[in-house]
Amino acid sequence: MLTLIGVALLWVAATPVWQWLRVLDWVETPAVLRSVSTVEERGENSTWRRVVASYEYEWDGQQYTGTRVLLPTLKGPFDRRDRRKSVELEGVKQAGGATVCYVNPRSPSEAVLDRSLRVEDLAMGLSFLMIGAGARLVFTYHSRKWQAGIDPALQEKHPGEPWLWNADWRSGRLRSERRFNLGELFGGGLAIGGFTAAFLCIRAFGDSESNLLFWVTAVFCLLSALFAYGILMSLLRWARFGDAVFRMAGPSGVVGGKLVGEVLGPRSLLDADEGTLRLFCTKTTIRKDRETRERDEVSWECELTVTPKRDAGRVVLPVDFTIPSSAESTSRSEDRLVTWRLMARAKLAGPDFAESFVVPVFLTEDSQDGVVVEEPPEPDAFDETSTLDEILVAEGIRVDPLGGSAVRYVAPAGRSRGYAWSTTLWALGWNGVLGGIGYAIYTHADWGATLFWIVAAIACWILLLFGPLLVVAALDGWLHSEELTIDDERWTTRIGWWGLPKWRTEFLAGNIRRIVVKHSKGGSVRVGNGPEKKSPGANDLFAEVAGAKLPRTLLRRVKSRRGSALLGEEIRRRAGVEEPLVTVDEFAELKAKLQERREEGG
């Protein structure tokens, strides 16, 4: 589809040039202008003006009457040229009407007053072509980048040796994905450049002098500059580091074993104190009903810090990862895709060293059962000596004694300010930019005559649908509050926004079967060219209650993992639950084992 659109846009860009080349050999002939006027032509969503004239000329002793003024052009907002031509012809008519026209010597009845090339039509067509070609490049390189790298011909030739299903895998020397990343970046820059060129054409040749159009054009110029900077930096990295190679020590990585090898880099790597290696597995589910691919979250990852060293005249980053037995092998099927990637980074003066490789990981004869890789602890501001009271105070959770053994835990509004600020900025930026673009499209209805503005309007309003969701998320970050009241056997939770009625739930402590802590992992944060830093995750506490299909929410967004564990133990003690505190993953394993016993008749 993108290829067909690109061909159509190429035809749109070539049509004005073809019309201009066609009339270059027409003969200049004296003519007399008889009438001139402008007429309005109305489309479904727009109106434009066209200059109309009547003139007479003589060819081989025969009189002809012509009405064609300009070469055929695209209909749209670029009617300034027609207006200027109308004013010019009015002056000619008042001066007596003497002018010249251009006659087709092969068909003398065909003539035109002005045979100049309309640059704005050519520029607009080329803008559309850039958009289509850029989108096509992004799609192509993104598809090649995220595929499993399996060649069907090699797969049929080596049915029992999956590590030989790719030419690079067979050689044991894997090239980086730099070419795919640069292709994606170049395609995105080309598409954004096409939009920028279209806005500049409208600004330069159109009739609109709107300030909003000026700012929209300025925003796209800034985006084009950012893409140009990214492409330049990628080219500089390529010129400085070359095409890095990952040399594997064996035929592939081993599930329940090792991935060992070396990342070969430039000599400048010795200037880095340390390098970072990250191995991760990504699972993608291909939905046949919608013919789309949805990339799932990373299913497994591990990160190592290594020191660059010399080896046989080359500078290398040594790779030595242990892969657990529960990991999945590299695979590619009609509905599922499992891909393993190795990323290597090193901080240097100037552009950093950053490469990624698609690596094969399979079950082999070296695979072993029971291999477990302990995940490194996530950052936590509290150590083993911190008490629950200290952590709750730092978390902003208030504990109110109610007399006797009764107590109330209160998580007030505005406690998660980092989340609130980030979602607020996203909501303001998203709705502001798209709202401004949508308002510009709405207030310039004549733009709807071109395919570009029709597509832009549809895309803008579709993206605006996400605006209310971001606003709700921002308000939830600022206004969300919770209360958990424990009064002997009666437990009450009140959850909602500050200043509004809260959702109230009551249940008995005797019906609580289990206290569960759901932990969400934190992401990696990278500021500028600095190293990646792990951000802490969040922890939510739930109660499994007999007779309830869904668990009851007790408290959410506890940042400290130690704090959530201590608070969970305290709540479990108050509930009188004998089972130890479990996480969601542990609880899922218990349920799976129970189901297996039931199926076996146990």
Side-chain angles (χ1 to χ4, degrees), residues 554-565:
L554 302 179
L555 289 172
R556 294 195 307 162
R557 298 176 188 166
V558 180
K559 297 179 183 178
S560 170
R561 193 156 191 176
R562 171 173 169 77
S564 64

Side-chain angles (χ1 to χ4, degrees), residues 17 37 50 103 130 152 180 222 228 260 303 388 435 446 547 593:
V17 179
S37 62
R50 182 170 59 89
V103 181
M130 290 170 63
F180 300 131
L222 177 61
V260 181
E303 189 171 294
L388 177 59
D446 56 333
K593 291 179 180 179

Side-chain angles (χ1 to χ4, degrees), residues 325-365:
S325 303
S326 58
E328 296 190 55
S329 299
T330 300
S331 64
R332 182 182 183 183
S333 62
E334 295 182 356
D335 56 356
R336 203 156 184 269
L337 188 67
V338 179
T339 308
W340 286 80
R341 271 181 172 76
L342 173 66
M343 297 187 67
R345 291 181 178 273
K347 182 174 175 55
L348 298 169
D352 292 343
F353 178 80
E355 299 287 354
S356 62
F357 309 86
V358 176
V359 297
V361 176
F362 293 100
L363 280 169
T364 68
E365 58 183 9

Side-chain angles (χ1 to χ4, degrees), residues 45-319:
N45 298 312
S46 62
T47 301
W48 59 90
R49 294 176 180 84
R50 182 170 59 89
V51 60
V52 178
S54 176
Y55 51 93
E56 295 178 353
Y57 60 94
E58 183 179 346
W59 183 269
D60 286 343
Q62 186 175 351
Q63 292 289 328
Y64 293 91
T65 300
T67 58
R68 190 175 179 183
V69 180
L70 301 169
L71 296 177
T73 57
L74 302 174
K75 296 179 180 180
F78 307 130
D79 56 359
R80 182 181 295 179
R81 185 165 179 254
D82 289 71
R83 295 182 183 182
R84 287 199 300 262
K85 195 64 182 179
S86 176
V87 173
E88 178 186 337
L89 293 179
E90 286 286 355
V92 172
K93 183 181 177 183
Q94 292 177 4
T99 184
V100 295
C101 66
Y102 301 90
V103 181
N104 184 357
R106 294 172 294 277
S107 177
S109 61
E110 189 177 7
V112 66
L113 281 179
D114 189 341
R115 64 176 180 179
S116 60
L117 176 63
R118 186 170 175 174
V119 180
E120 50 264 42
D121 281 345
L122 176 61
M124 198 65 172
L126 291 175
S127 300
F128 279 120
L129 179 61
M130 290 170 63
I131 296 170
R136 176 62 188 174
L137 284 175
V138 172
F139 177 81
T140 300
Y141 281 101
H142 183 76
S143 299
R144 292 179 181 177
K145 177 180 177 181
W146 286 102
Q147 65 184 359
I150 297 175
D151 187 344
L154 294 175
Q155 184 177 9
E156 183 178 355
K157 185 177 180 180
H158 305 279
E161 299 173 305
W163 48 87
L164 300 179
W165 293 351
N166 178 286
D168 288 344
W169 297 354
R170 296 178 65 183
S171 65
R173 295 174 61 89
L174 311 183
R175 293 188 299 167
S176 70
E177 296 181 298
R178 183 184 297 276
R179 58 193 185 281
F180 300 131
N181 297 332
L182 184 59
E184 281 184 325
L185 191 60
F186 182 78
L190 192 63
I192 292 296
F195 280 105
T196 304
F199 278 110
L200 289 174
C201 289
I202 294 174
R203 180 72 183 174
F205 304 115
D207 279 339
S208 176
E209 299 294 339
S210 169
N211 290 330
L212 184 58
L213 177 60
F214 169 79
W215 287 111
V216 171
T217 306
V219 169
F220 273 93
C221 288
L222 177 61
L223 291 176
S224 297
L226 292 176
F227 269 97
Y229 173 77
I231 294 173
L232 177 61
M233 293 302 294
S234 296
L235 292 176
L236 289 177
R237 286 192 177 96
W238 205 338
R240 181 180 182 184
F241 303 128
D243 199 0
V245 173
F246 172 50
R247 185 171 60 190
M248 293 189 298
S252 77
V254 179
V255 174
K258 291 279 191 178
L259 173 67
V260 181
E262 298 172 328
V263 175
L264 308 181
R267 294 181 180 179
S268 56
L269 267 182
L270 293 176
D271 298 333
D273 295 332
E274 61 182 26
T276 302
L277 299 174
R278 178 171 175 252
L279 179 67
F280 62 99
C281 175
T282 305
K283 292 189 292 187
T284 305
T285 301
I286 303 174
R287 300 171 58 179
K288 296 181 180 179
D289 53 342
R290 298 182 182 178
E291 297 183 355
T292 58
R293 290 183 176 181
E294 292 187 352
R295 194 182 71 184
D296 297 334
E297 295 182 358
V298 174
S299 61
W300 184 87
E301 64 178 328
C302 184
E303 189 171 294
L304 299 177
T305 300
V306 297
T307 302
K309 64 178 183 179
R310 286 187 178 273
D311 183 18
R314 299 293 302 270
V315 180
V316 301
L317 294 174
V319 178

Side-chain angles (χ1 to χ4, degrees), residues 515-537:
I515 302 297
V516 181
V517 177
K518 180 180 179 181
H519 175 68
S520 59
K521 295 183 178 180
S524 297
V525 179
R526 183 180 178 87
V527 179
N529 291 327
E532 291 188 352
K533 297 182 179 180
K534 289 288 186 179
S535 60

